[in-house]
Amino acid sequence: EIKAVAVHDYEKEDFSTVNVILVAPQARLIYHALKEKGEQFGAVTLVIDPMAYGLVNGEAVLDQILKALEEKS
């Protein structure tokens, strides 16, 4: 399941079933708060690579996610 949440709504979210938290480059100011919430449930938190984000390169973002998950294991 994939879910997008507005920056001002993340505090209301249930992170208990989240595996990966992706933060848009322009929202990186809340990265640490999201990381802290995600770590409580073992989630990986990433700021999406700005180049991949700007070019709408889903394959590069997926590679970023898979690499982070592999490093976590």
Side-chain angles (χ1 to χ4, degrees):
E1 177 180 351
I2 298 174
K3 183 175 183 180
V5 178
V7 171
H8 61 274
D9 288 337
Y10 83 90
E11 292 178 330
K12 302 172 192 170
E13 288 300 311
D14 174 17
F15 284 72
S16 65
T17 61
V18 173
N19 296 314
V20 177
I21 300 168
L22 295 175
V23 182
Q26 69 272 19
R28 74 182 79 206
L29 294 174
I30 64 164
Y31 168 79
H32 293 289
L34 286 169
K35 183 175 181 186
E36 187 175 304
K37 283 195 85 160
E39 283 178 343
Q40 295 173 17
F41 302 100
V44 173
T45 306
L46 305 167
V47 174
I48 300 171
D49 175 69
M51 184 68 80
Y53 187 86
L55 295 173
V56 192
N57 187 342
E59 187 174 332
V61 175
L62 178 59
D63 288 343
Q64 183 182 3
I65 294 166
L66 293 174
K67 181 180 176 184
L69 289 172
E70 185 178 300
E71 290 173 359
K72 179 185 172 193
S73 298

